[in-house]
Amino acid sequence: MAATTQILSFSYAPLAHPSNSQACFLLQTQLGTPKVFCWKSARIDQTHLRFGGFVAKNSSLRLGSARDSKQLTQEFTANGFELRDENDNSSDLFEELEVRFLRFKKHQFLANSARFQQLAEAQAPKFMVIACADSRVCPSSILGFQPGEAFTIRNIANLVPPFENDPSETSAGLEFAVNSLEVGNIFIIGHSCCGGIRALMSMQDEADSSGSFIRDWVVIGKTAKLRTKAAAANLSFDQQCKYCEKESVNRSLLNLLTYPWIEERVSKGILCLHGGYYDFVKCTFEKWTLDYKGSMEVQSKLAIKNYESWGA
C-alpha cells in the first residue's frame, strides 16, 4: 500500500553501546493522525526502516544534525515512502487508549477548558484518597472523582503505616496533601476480595518476610489481623479475610493519628478522617467517619460516626 509520507521530526540518541542506540520518528501520512515510533538499533543508515506496524522504504533522505553534550539530534524531512501495513496485536491496546484519550480531550478537556485552565495553575482538592492498587477498584470510577477533586495514593491493601515507620510513598503523600494542599478530608477505601489482605491473613510468621516486598508491606496490618483472629475465630478463612478488609481500614485510620500534623488538625476540627468499603461483588459501598475523642490515649478504641450504606 503506497502513501505519501512526511516525517516531521527525528531524534537519534547514541548510547554507551551502539546496539542500544535509540531513534524516534514522528510520522504524518495521508492515512491519519501523526504517529510516533521509537526503536533501538545499531544502524540508522539503512534504506529499509521498520517502526511500529509499518515498513518504510526511503527513496530520499536529508539529514541535518546538531550535537548537544551526549545526545545527537537529527532533524530531517522525507517523501516517497512506501508503507506496508503489518499485523501488530500489541498496538491494539494503545489504539484503544488513544481513542479514550481523544474522547476525554473532546468531551471533558475542551468542553471544560476554563476549569482545566484553573487546574493548570493550582490544585485544591477537598479529599485525599488512599485506595488499593487493585485494578477493579479505581476510586475515580466508583465515586466519580473529577480532575482536581481528590489527591490519590494507591498501594497494596490501602494501608497506612504508622508515623514511626520508614518513609514511604504513602507517608510522603500524606505530608504533601495535609501540609501543602491542606485537604479537609482523608478517605481510606478498602474493598472486597483484596489480595493484599489475603496475603496478610495467610502469613504464618510476620517476622519472616523471606525477601518478599509484599510481605514486608502488608505486615503493617498485623494489628488488624490479630484483632480479626480474636473476633472472628469461628468464621471461615474467606469470612475472616472480609472482616479484616474492614478492620484494616479502621487500624489505618488510627495510624493516621500518629502523624503529629494530622492529629493536630483533627483535634482542631479542620481535618476529618473517613473510612470506606467497596464490595465489588454486590456493588455496595459503606462509609463512616472517625469520631476523635481528643487524644491518642483516649482513642485506644475506635469510635465512628456518620455511618452510611449505599446501594444495598
Side-chain angles (χ1 to χ4, degrees):
M1 177 178 63
T4 301
T5 305
Q6 181 182 11
I7 297 182
L8 302 179
S9 66
F10 166 67
S11 65
Y12 171 60
L15 304 178
H17 192 281
S19 64
N20 292 327
S21 298
Q22 177 171 283
C24 293
F25 285 91
L26 174 61
L27 284 183
Q28 172 69 66
T29 81
Q30 66 184 32
L31 301 178
T33 57
K35 302 286 185 181
V36 177
F37 301 100
C38 296
W39 78 97
K40 293 182 178 180
S41 174
R43 295 172 57 92
I44 63 167
D45 57 346
Q46 304 176 46
T47 57
H48 288 70
L49 302 177
R50 180 185 301 270
F51 33 94
F54 298 98
V55 172
K57 293 182 179 179
N58 181 13
S59 60
S60 175
L61 185 65
R62 180 171 58 84
L63 294 179
S65 64
R67 182 179 299 275
D68 181 9
S69 65
K70 295 182 179 180
Q71 175 149 350
L72 178 67
T73 302
Q74 298 175 314
E75 301 291 334
F76 71 97
T77 60
N79 290 286
F81 273 76
E82 178 183 344
L83 300 181
R84 177 167 56 85
D85 195 6
E86 292 185 337
N87 293 325
D88 185 359
N89 294 331
S90 64
S91 67
D92 293 344
L93 292 173
F94 290 94
E95 288 176 359
E96 174 62 23
L97 292 182
E98 179 185 17
V99 170
R100 296 180 190 179
F101 172 74
L102 294 177
R103 185 186 303 125
F104 162 80
K105 181 175 182 179
K106 177 181 179 181
H107 296 291
Q108 295 194 49
F109 184 86
L110 295 178
N112 301 280
S113 57
R115 170 60 176 160
F116 280 94
Q117 181 58 43
Q118 292 176 344
L119 291 176
E121 298 172 359
Q123 61 171 321
K126 296 179 181 180
F127 285 91
M128 177 183 182
V129 173
I130 300 174
C132 186
D134 193 303
S135 63
R136 301 166 290 184
V137 294
C138 176
S140 293
S141 297
I142 299 164
L143 300 176
F145 286 117
Q146 299 301 306
E149 291 184 346
F151 184 84
T152 305
I153 292 289
R154 300 181 66 177
N155 62 42
I156 298 296
N158 45 268
L159 295 170
V160 175
F163 180 74
E164 296 78 11
N165 278 33
D166 293 333
S168 68
E169 76 287 345
T170 302
S171 54
L174 284 167
E175 182 178 358
F176 181 71
V178 174
N179 292 338
S180 297
L181 298 179
E182 298 183 340
V183 297
N185 301 274
I186 300 178
F187 197 3
I188 303 175
I189 303 174
H191 69 93
S192 58
C193 306
C194 181
I197 295 299
R198 196 172 189 87
L200 170 66
M201 293 295 295
S202 300
M203 291 170 59
Q204 299 300 318
D205 183 4
E206 288 83 358
D208 179 18
S209 64
S210 302
S212 168
F213 292 122
I214 295 175
R215 288 172 61 92
D216 286 345
W217 173 255
V218 299
V219 74
I220 293 171
K222 63 182 179 181
T223 301
K225 173 185 176 180
L226 293 175
R227 293 179 65 88
T228 297
K229 292 291 187 180
N234 60 324
L235 299 181
S236 68
F237 180 73
D238 287 343
Q239 291 173 319
Q240 287 182 5
C241 287
K242 186 177 183 67
Y243 187 101
C244 191
E245 287 163 357
K246 296 181 181 181
E247 183 62 31
S248 68
V249 172
N250 290 331
R251 293 305 106 191
S252 285
L253 287 173
L254 291 179
N255 282 348
L256 286 174
L257 293 173
T258 65
Y259 294 76
W261 22 271
I262 290 180
E263 194 274 338
E264 178 184 6
R265 285 168 171 78
V266 173
S267 64
K268 291 180 178 179
I270 58 178
L271 176 62
C272 295
L273 308 181
H274 312 277
Y277 181 80
Y278 171 51
D279 187 331
F280 60 73
V281 178
K282 300 177 181 178
C283 196
T284 58
F285 196 94
E286 299 171 68
K287 169 264 174 191
W288 59 93
T289 299
L290 179 70
D291 188 10
Y292 186 55
K293 299 301 184 181
S295 70
M296 281 300 295
E297 289 76 13
V298 178
Q299 200 68 40
S300 59
K301 293 185 178 180
L302 184 82
I304 65 171
K305 60 183 179 180
N306 301 334
Y307 173 86
E308 298 179 23
S309 179
W310 306 335

